[in-house]
Each structure stands twice: as C-alpha cells, then as structure tokens.
Amino acid sequence: MKILVPVKQVEILDEDFEIHDDGRRVDSDYIEHELNEWDDYSWETALQLMEKHEGAVEAIPMTVGPDGADDVLRKCLAKGGERAIRVWDDAMEGSDPIAIARVIAAVAKREDVKLVLAGTQSTDHGYGQTGIATAALLGWPHVAVVSELDYTPGSEKATVRRELEGGVEEEIEVPLPAVLTIQLGINEPRYASLRGIKQAKSKEIEEVSPQDLGIPANEIGEAGSAARVRRMYVPERGKAELIVGTPAEQAKRLIEIVNELKGA
Amino acid sequence: MQFTALGDWLSSQEGSFNIHVAAAFHEVADDEQRQVLEASLFATPRARLRWAGEIYTPPSILEALARRDEARLNLRLARHPRTPGSSLLRILRVSDDPGILAALAAHPNSPAQLLRDLPWGQQPPIRSGLAGNPACPLDLLYTILPETTMVDRKRMAAHPAADGALLQKLWEVAGDDVYLRGEVIANSACPPGLLAAALASDVPLIRRKLAENANVSTQALITLLRDPVPEVRAAAARQVPSEAFEDVDCEDFNTVRRIKARRHDLPADLIAQLATDSDSWVRRWLARNPAVPAEILAALAKDPEREVRRGVARNPACPTDLLFQLARDPEPWVRAGVSFRTDIDEDLIALFEHDEEIDVLSGVGRNAVTPPEWLERIAEHANADVRRSVILNPRTPRYLLRRLAEDPYPFNRVCLVKHPAAPIDLILELLADAEPQVCFTAATMLVSGGRKAARKQEAASSSEWKACRRSQVTNSEISGENAHENPCAG
C-alpha cells in the first residue's frame, strides 16, 4: 500500500522585516524556509509504518512549490523513502488551502494511495485546513489532530486517538482510505544520517504540473482559491504593556497585574 | 590545514563552495581571497541580510557588509553585538534613521566620539541607549542626565562608569522612587554618606541593596543580619563575616539558612545544625559545600532526599569510601553524580559496568578512566545525549571519533569537531557536512588551529633568535657542514 505525505516548506520570519511593495506579503529577502514542524512528525509516522511492515508499505512525500521546495523533500528522503513528488506551475501562485488540497487529492488519486498523512497545520499560516479539504475533495473520512495511530497494512481500518480540550482523548476507528492530520508529539522524529543525506541527493523527485494531473487553470492559484490575502500589515500596538524598570520594579508590576486579573 | 593553505582550499572548490565554511575562513583571508569569498557570501540581498543578522557572523564579514552602505543592512549591523566600532562609525555617517541611531547609542562597541556625535537632544530612544551603554563615557552621562527619564536614570545608576558625584545627583533627583535609590546604593561607587543613609532607611529594598554592595562595612552587614525583614538578612548573609553568625539567634527564614549553607567559612556548630535542617535545600547546599567535614557528609549521604545524596556525590571533598557507597545508591541520579566526577579511578568506574541508566551512562561515557571497550558500547546508544558523552571524553580514541563523525544528531558532530584529538583529516571531511553549524565549526577550528600553530611558530622563532643573540653565535663560528642547522643563519 502507499501512503502519501504532503509536506510544506514554510516561511520563517526574521525579527525585523519589511512588507512587500504590493502590501500583501512579507518581502522575500527577510524570509528563511524550513520544513513545517508538523510535517516532520507526519513523515516520521509514515517511516515507522514503512519500517514496521517492510515491503508492504511505500511512503511518498510530496510538496507544492517551486524548485526551491525540493529542499524539504530531500530532507524527508534523507530519513527514508525512495522517491518524492513536487507539483508546481507559476499559475499556482496565490493558492489557498483549497487550491492546494485539489493538487494533493489529484496526486493521491494518481498514486492510488490508501492513506494521506498530513500535518495538522503549518507554522507560517496555521489554517489547519489543507488536510481536511483534501479529505473532502477525495470524499474520504478524515480524523484531525491525531496523537496516536495503530494500523496494520492490509487492514481496512485504522485506530487513532485524538486530543480534545481539557486533556480528554477520544479513540476512533476509521475506515481506509482516509486522511489523517498528525499532531506534534505523536513520535520523536529522527535525525537524518550523513549517509542518508548523501543518498537523498540522488533519489528521484518527480516534477509534475497541475495540468499533468488534469487540474484546470481555474482551479489553482488565485483563480481557484476561495480566499485571498487583501492586505498584510503590522498592527497598531494594542493592550500589551512593556514592563520597564529594575527587576524589583518589574516584579512589583507583574504582581499588580496578576492581582488585577484575579480581581484581588 | 594551516590558514596559509586557504588559497589551496579556494582553488580546490572550483568557484562553488560552502558559504558557511567561506564565512569562517573570511577572517583569515587576504584581500584578494576575501573578494572571492564575498562574491558567494553576498550574492543575494537575502544572503546579505542573513549574515548581518546571524549571531555567529564573524566581525570581518560584518565589516565587509558595512562597507556596502546598504540601508536595509545597517539596522541589523547596528544591533549586531560583534559589529566593530569602525563599522558603526561608518553606519552613523550614512544613517539618520531613528532606529539605527538608537541602536548605535546602545552598542557597547560604539566609540566614545560616535556616542557624543549622536543627536541625543532630539531623540529619547538615543538617550535611553546611552544611559544603559557601558561604553558611554562619564561626562556624557552627566550631560544627558537632566533630560533622561526615571527608567534611564536607573540604568545610569547601575552604570560601571558612574562615580560618586553622579550617584549623589541621582539620589537627589530620585525623590520618592525607591527603586532608583536602591540602584544607587547597590553601585560599588556609592559615596559613604549615602551608604550610611541607606542603613537608616525605613525602606527594606534600600537596606537590601545596601547589603548587596561590595563596599558595605562589616558593622553595617552585622546590623543588616539582624534586620526584621528576611530578604535583607538573606542579602547580608552572603558576605557578612562568618563570625557574625554565632551571635545570631536561630534563623527561621529558610532562604537565609540556604545562603549560609553555601558559605565555605561556616563555624562547625552551625554546620552540624544545618545538617539536620528541615528544609531539604539547606541540606542540599550543605552537601555540596567542600568545607563540610567528612562525618557530616557521611550523615548527608544517607539523607532520604536524593538531591541531598547527589550533592554529596558532587562534593569535591567527598571521601572515597562515601563515593563507593553512593555509586551503589538505588537512585540513578545519585549514581550519576559519582559517574560524572573527573577524579574517580578505575575501581569506582568498574561499579558502573552494567548500569544502563541514561544519566549514569552519560557520566561514564565522558569519564577519562572508562575503558575503550565500554566507550564503544556507549557510542552505539540510542540516546543522542549518551552518545555525546563519548564525544566529550578527552580520552576517546581516534578510531571511535571517526565512527562518531557519522552520528545523525548535528550537535554531536559540532562537539566532535571541537574535540582536542579530532584528526585534521576528519575535520576537513566535516567541512562538507550537510548541517551549517557543523561545517562552520569545522572551518572555525581549522582557522583557530592555524592561528595557534602560527603563534607557536612565531614564538619558537622568536625564542630561537633571542637565544642566538644571547650566545652571540655567528656563522663564522659554525663549521660549514653545520651551518644549515644554525637557526640564526640566513
């Protein structure tokens, strides 16, 4: 069976940055990139299934992005897996989670996967929608914020646990194929060995366009998005208070604030 | 690799090299080599911004970036703690951005003239930066004082250059602000008159700050040791002569007793009293105290609290028989206290042969007396921190270091590069590591190793030359066949 693991190359902002002239994004000169933290855990989940059921499972990382996004795929392949898929076309610029989900769903169908393991959300945009939207487009059941997964390849069902408020957990049996969004802490992601890093350089990354997947132009990019960024700006200062002074003064003010909030 | 071989390394890279290695080599490169390195390091605006902001960027690169006079870089450069003063001067010449000027005002590398040239009269953030800058000259502090805020004045009161006259002024303008007055009192340059006033103050904070002042008199400390406020007594307990303790009634505030327990000059009867203290932190501090006699340590080694027993294990003066006892403690944390000691011998280490606890293994792995065959086993452990202990062991054999160079945890490879016995060829291999921190550290080690070698060579040459001069050996006194061995020849 195949497991598809969509991973994202997220943006990391520097402490000081500038908004781009178009007013809708941060100037790219101030952005660094790395693998989305949640996707590290979802990829590790897939690797553990692959290792536990050697030969029965193929895990495939995929991403949506220009060629710089190969970095995150190589990071995944350095830990395991034999091939990856990257989907991009310049027309995809401005895609929201729904548009991205269309691409993931198309790849899932093309690869005939039984399981999609996505990160619960991304560290940069935090929509938390991409995985769920993928499930909706595929018409598959989904479980979000999975903190434990018990699955045997060949089985028609997986058992998962998910976190709820107040420390409560629920256990769910979900039929496959399914989409699961994976929570932080489900496992301990491994570090890639030096040998793995070297080997990853020669592993295949298939570049695919949305057209190759049969996705029409009006379903990707801004044209295919239900939401678009109108404006990005640094907000005016709100209720935050900068507590200044000597440590003793700061401690006194902190105590005052705590007492005010407690109504003392 | 000596840094004189940098040219060879550059040539071997065929124009495309690791930018993190290039960054480390930049400092020792000549002007021509730097041009080559900078072509890669500064290739894009993003790259330049990154170098201007990374905390490990060498000063030579920051200097090179400052010479570009790029406005977007200058704010980061003005904030970067390693930016040299000459570069900060250059930034001031081309900048009038308030944020940059405030950053320059606060920068400890800013030369005094730069600080004087700042338009502090118009911009409060500049005055704030100056007030807290240890490089700000005293006369400038006096100049800006009338226009500073109370927050700035507190920074000035703690300023290392503040003299008695400035502190007196700050005391007078403090008014009801007890925090400012406290900062004045805490400053070691505080005038004696103010110290006397502080002793009589009815504000506990001021008395506490007095007790923290390094120049407070012994008599004042003894008085403060009897203060009704426990925090004042605690502050006094840190530096009052230990003889004063005998005259004091039993202290009921545990913070004060904890501070006493850390003193190396405690009277014997107080040690005995503290050894049975109900507060485990008091006993814990006492257990670590090297001035505590063996019989007290023996009692603490049987304490029900594991942290107290561990404190004994970590005590530099702990007798060997107690170490043997603690090495068999049921608590791994206590046994680890022994395994981490650098003064134990093979007989003690042998007790840990079958111990599988991670904390214990971490100590065994880094211990210089651990047998190599044990280190091999520990180097294969699933836990990265345990494996790192072998890397941190100064006696780890080179063959094992080579094996550990494949460790998947990047920080372990960083530590390996720094190992004193790491082979040069291994460090050279790690220049190509996938992790930026590893290759940067490897390059830095080569640079510093090259510098040390050059300094040794220089010192050796210098001492040989001096020896020649002293003995007045000349070429004419040496037979022709030995002339080439004369270090002073040619």
Side-chain angles (χ1 to χ4, degrees):
Chain A
M1 67 166 278
K2 290 183 189 176
I3 300 176
L4 185 67
V5 183
V7 299
K8 184 182 180 188
Q9 186 182 54
V10 295
E11 296 177 345
I12 307 294
L13 276 190
D14 287 330
E15 194 181 308
D16 59 308
F17 58 88
E18 292 177 4
I19 303 291
H20 192 274
D21 290 342
D22 68 8
R24 294 174 61 202
R25 55 199 158 107
V26 173
D27 186 326
S28 60
D29 287 341
Y30 292 90
I31 295 174
E32 296 291 336
H33 294 97
E34 65 182 29
L35 174 64
N36 180 36
E37 190 181 2
W38 274 268
D39 299 340
D40 214 356
Y41 287 86
S42 55
W43 181 238
E44 178 65 29
T45 305
L47 288 177
Q48 288 184 9
L49 281 171
M50 215 165 61
E51 285 163 0
K52 194 173 168 190
H53 308 283
E54 202 177 332
V57 174
E58 182 192 6
I60 308 165
M62 71 154 286
T63 197
V64 176
D67 52 13
D70 276 351
D71 273 352
V72 293
L73 294 176
R74 297 261 176 237
K75 279 199 170 97
C76 292
L77 292 173
K79 298 182 186 184
E82 293 305 315
R83 64 182 177 103
I85 300 169
R86 182 170 59 79
V87 183
W88 187 248
D89 184 279
D90 287 345
M92 290 214 63
E93 199 72 59
S95 294
D96 72 350
I98 310 294
I100 302 284
R102 288 198 184 96
V103 171
I104 298 173
V107 172
K109 282 182 194 163
R110 191 191 82 158
E111 294 290 328
D112 191 26
V113 306
K114 285 285 181 269
L115 196 53
V116 175
L117 299 180
T120 295
Q121 63 184 70
S122 63
T123 49
D124 52 1
H125 296 122
Y127 294 120
Q129 296 180 23
T130 310
I132 306 307
T134 302
L137 289 164
L138 287 167
W140 291 1
H142 70 270
V143 183
V145 201
V146 169
S147 57
E148 220 175 289
L149 167 63
D150 183 10
Y151 175 66
T152 303
S155 169
E156 294 301 313
K157 291 181 186 166
T159 305
V160 300
R161 282 184 174 224
R162 55 191 299 266
E163 297 174 354
L164 301 176
E165 289 291 327
V168 177
E169 282 188 343
E170 67 175 1
E171 189 173 287
I172 299 171
E173 204 173 60
V174 55
L176 265 55
V179 174
L180 308 178
T181 72
I182 303 296
Q183 175 62 305
L184 303 176
I186 187 174
N187 49 45
E188 197 172 322
R190 68 195 68 185
Y191 289 94
S193 67
L194 285 181
R195 184 179 305 170
I197 293 169
K198 286 174 191 162
Q199 288 174 343
K201 289 179 184 167
S202 55
K203 289 183 180 175
E204 180 200 353
I205 295 181
E206 184 190 359
E207 293 179 36
V208 177
S209 71
Q211 291 82 0
D212 296 333
L213 297 169
I215 304 174
N218 64 351
E219 289 189 3
I220 56 170
E222 288 199 14
S225 297
R228 64 179 277 273
V229 176
R230 290 182 58 199
R231 186 164 71 101
M232 185 176 284
Y233 60 95
V234 177
E236 295 292 324
R237 296 210 168 190
K239 292 184 190 172
E241 176 184 340
L242 184 63
I243 303 175
V244 296
T246 64
E249 276 181 291
Q250 289 169 325
K252 181 169 179 276
R253 179 64 191 133
L254 275 169
I255 293 169
E256 283 171 2
I257 292 171
V258 168
N259 286 334
E260 281 167 22
L261 290 172
K262 282 165 63 180
Chain B
M1 175 193 202
Q2 301 292 318
F3 57 76
T4 50
L6 173 56
D8 296 336
W9 179 80
L10 277 173
S11 305
S12 71
Q13 300 304 298
E14 296 173 347
S16 166
F17 38 73
N18 184 308
I19 55 168
H20 303 282
V21 174
F25 286 161
H26 188 273
E27 260 193 299
V28 297
D30 61 33
D31 287 345
E32 196 181 316
Q33 290 165 339
R34 282 187 179 180
Q35 277 195 331
V36 174
L37 295 174
E38 288 170 18
S40 278
L41 287 169
F42 302 161
T44 66
R46 188 196 302 178
R48 297 195 291 275
L49 274 168
R50 186 194 307 132
W51 289 118
E54 287 286 5
I55 194 63
Y56 60 85
T57 301
S60 64
I61 290 184
L62 297 170
E63 258 184 316
L65 286 168
R67 284 196 291 273
R68 301 180 71 96
D69 292 331
E70 284 184 31
R72 294 206 305 179
L73 296 180
N74 284 345
L75 179 60
R76 290 195 178 189
L77 292 170
R79 286 179 181 162
H80 200 295
R82 303 178 89 182
T83 302
S86 54
S87 298
L88 297 173
L89 272 169
R90 188 187 182 100
I91 290 169
L92 177 61
R93 283 200 289 271
V94 301
S95 300
D96 57 4
D97 177 85
I100 292 177
L101 296 180
L104 291 174
H107 203 296
N109 291 349
S110 286
Q113 195 49 54
L114 180 159
L115 297 175
R116 290 197 175 94
D117 288 345
L118 289 169
W120 57 264
Q122 294 96 48
Q123 297 183 35
I126 294 180
R127 292 195 292 273
S128 292
L130 289 172
N133 189 341
C136 185
L138 180 59
D139 61 295
L140 190 50
L141 290 176
Y142 274 102
T143 307
I144 67 174
L145 174 60
E147 306 204 36
T148 50
T149 63
M150 292 305 264
V151 175
D152 295 339
R153 289 170 184 177
K154 283 158 200 165
R155 293 197 189 104
M156 290 169 78
H159 200 282
D163 63 3
L166 180 63
L167 293 169
Q168 184 72 45
K169 277 186 186 288
L170 289 168
W171 177 271
E172 286 157 11
V173 301
D176 293 335
D177 193 325
V178 299
Y179 300 101
L180 175 52
R181 288 194 157 181
E183 292 300 300
V184 169
I185 295 300
N187 194 311
S188 58
C190 185
L194 290 184
L195 295 180
L199 188 59
S201 170
D202 58 0
V203 178
L205 171 69
I206 290 177
R207 298 198 306 275
R208 177 164 67 81
K209 291 291 186 180
L210 175 65
E212 292 171 6
N213 188 311
N215 294 331
V216 65
S217 69
T218 300
Q219 194 50 52
L221 280 172
I222 292 173
T223 304
L224 292 167
L225 194 63
R226 297 186 180 91
D227 198 279
V229 174
E231 286 80 8
V232 177
R233 297 199 302 274
R238 284 187 200 279
Q239 53 176 352
V240 71
S242 59
E243 294 76 31
F245 292 147
E246 290 179 301
D247 294 328
V248 180
D249 289 342
C250 197
E251 172 61 61
D252 61 355
F253 191 59
N254 55 11
T255 302
V256 182
R257 300 197 310 278
R258 290 174 190 178
I259 290 170
K260 286 180 185 175
R262 295 160 74 167
R263 295 280 299 255
H264 290 190
D265 53 355
L266 287 177
D269 55 350
L270 187 54
I271 292 177
Q273 183 185 331
L274 293 174
T276 56
D277 200 285
S278 58
D279 184 282
S280 68
W281 276 94
V282 172
R283 301 195 311 276
R284 196 190 297 198
W285 283 116
L286 201 69
R288 283 214 176 220
N289 190 329
V292 171
E295 59 272 20
I296 301 286
L297 288 180
L300 291 170
K302 295 183 181 133
D303 198 282
E305 279 279 339
R306 70 171 190 172
E307 291 289 353
V308 177
R309 301 196 306 277
R310 178 181 164 87
V312 177
R314 301 297 296 151
N315 190 317
C318 184
T320 306
D321 60 319
L322 281 187
L323 289 177
F324 272 89
Q325 174 188 316
L326 292 165
R328 296 181 176 96
D329 196 280
E331 279 285 345
W333 190 233
V334 177
R335 300 198 304 275
V338 179
S339 75
F340 265 91
R341 291 180 72 102
T342 56
D343 59 349
I344 58 177
D345 60 15
E346 290 82 355
D347 290 338
L348 252 175
I349 273 288
L351 296 178
F352 299 121
E353 185 176 1
H354 302 292
D355 204 314
E356 292 297 322
E357 292 290 340
I358 285 175
D359 290 324
V360 178
L361 282 176
S362 293
V364 173
R366 69 201 298 176
N367 206 302
V369 301
T370 301
E373 53 272 23
W374 291 21
L375 293 179
E376 287 186 28
R377 175 171 52 88
I378 297 170
E380 300 288 319
H381 201 277
N383 183 296
D385 298 331
V386 172
R387 296 196 305 273
R388 188 165 61 256
S389 69
V390 178
I391 293 172
L392 295 173
N393 188 327
R395 303 284 290 274
T396 294
R398 286 186 166 185
Y399 74 88
L400 208 44
L401 290 176
R402 287 186 190 280
R403 206 183 292 172
L404 286 162
E406 296 284 320
D407 195 286
Y409 188 43
F411 182 59
N412 284 1
R413 300 198 300 277
V414 170
C415 293
L416 187 137
V417 161
K418 294 180 178 178
H419 194 285
I424 290 292
D425 61 305
L426 186 60
I427 298 178
L428 283 169
E429 275 178 35
L430 288 170
L431 287 178
D433 195 281
E435 185 65 31
Q437 194 182 5
V438 176
C439 47
F440 180 83
T441 306
T444 304
M445 294 306 293
L446 289 172
V447 166
S448 61
R451 278 187 175 141
K452 273 184 204 159
R455 277 201 293 271
K456 267 190 193 169
Q457 195 171 15
E458 203 178 299
S461 302
S462 170
S463 58
E464 281 171 1
W465 177 247
K466 283 176 185 167
C468 280
R469 292 291 294 267
R470 277 196 300 274
S471 68
Q472 294 182 1
V473 172
T474 63
N475 284 343
S476 62
E477 292 177 18
I478 297 171
S479 65
E481 68 218 21
N482 292 329
H484 67 279
E485 293 174 3
N486 183 353
C488 305

